[in-house]
Amino acid sequence: CVPGVCGRRGRRGRRGRVVKALTLWRPWPYAIFHLPADIAKPVENRTGPPPSSLVGERIAIHAGKTWDDSGKWLIQDLMCVHLDLDEWRLPDEQPEGIIGTVRLRGVKRGADHWTAQLVAGELLANAGSGVWYRGPYGWLLDDVRALPEPIPCKGQRGLWDVPEELVGRLAA
């Protein structure tokens, strides 16, 4: 098991522990890992809460095959930044695979964006981060660690187990 990556729970047997991964449509993983720290995306919006056993644990983030065409423009609008195409790659140049790990710090729930800002005031401490929450659940992310190179592998819907042979490559 890789220190700082493998979870405390979910033993896979004698050889190692389970590391969970979450696949996101591109370019959203890049908003987490590659935007400047003061505007990076610190929350992943989901329809349900994470398993309580994962709160406080590291999970891998997988850049999926699907490209969200409107995502780049929405990210630019939300952050009031221009994303240079040299830095913000086109879909065929933006690699798929596991691109890093994050710590799942907690979860927030609010009826809408404005309620979430009032309930989760700490989200506003990071400049611009309050705009990232869209609900209904926000998986709060911190201790973001990008990998030097993506690890090619197929993703899945929802949380999934990183193949055991890839777990050792997650230490960034």
Side-chain angles (χ1 to χ4, degrees):
C1 188
V2 178
V5 175
C6 296
R8 293 186 302 259
R9 301 169 187 89
R11 285 208 176 266
R12 178 174 278 175
R14 287 186 241 187
R15 297 185 64 183
R17 295 184 188 201
V18 173
V19 176
K20 293 292 188 183
L22 186 63
T23 298
L24 307 179
W25 289 3
R26 296 172 300 139
W28 297 108
Y30 291 84
I32 295 169
F33 290 95
H34 298 296
L35 284 179
D38 60 333
I39 61 171
K41 185 176 185 268
V43 61
E44 171 54 25
N45 296 296
R46 309 303 290 177
T47 57
S52 59
S53 63
L54 282 183
V55 174
E57 299 291 334
R58 295 200 72 73
I59 62 171
I61 300 295
H62 178 270
K65 183 177 183 177
T66 303
W67 175 263
D68 181 0
D69 240 359
S70 63
K72 176 181 181 272
W73 305 112
L74 183 57
I75 291 166
Q76 283 188 156
D77 289 346
L78 286 175
M79 295 296 96
C80 300
V81 296
H82 172 71
L83 301 174
D84 184 2
L85 286 180
D86 289 338
E87 294 176 19
W88 200 261
R89 300 175 185 164
L90 298 170
D92 57 342
E93 297 172 342
Q94 202 175 78
E96 300 170 26
I98 298 172
I99 66 167
T101 65
V102 298
R103 187 177 73 96
L104 181 57
R105 179 169 67 91
V107 62
K108 293 295 180 184
R109 182 172 187 217
D112 59 32
H113 173 67
W114 303 110
T115 302
Q117 286 189 20
L118 295 173
V119 172
E122 74 269 23
L123 286 177
L124 299 177
N126 182 5
S129 63
V131 302
W132 291 113
Y133 179 78
R134 296 289 185 235
Y137 291 89
W139 295 20
L140 305 177
L141 313 173
D142 68 6
D143 195 13
V144 174
R145 299 179 192 172
L147 294 173
E149 294 292 326
I151 300 172
C153 69
K154 290 186 178 183
Q156 300 176 33
R157 289 186 174 188
L159 285 166
W160 49 278
D161 296 344
V162 173
E164 193 169 353
E165 65 272 13
L166 300 180
V167 170
R169 296 175 59 191
L170 293 178

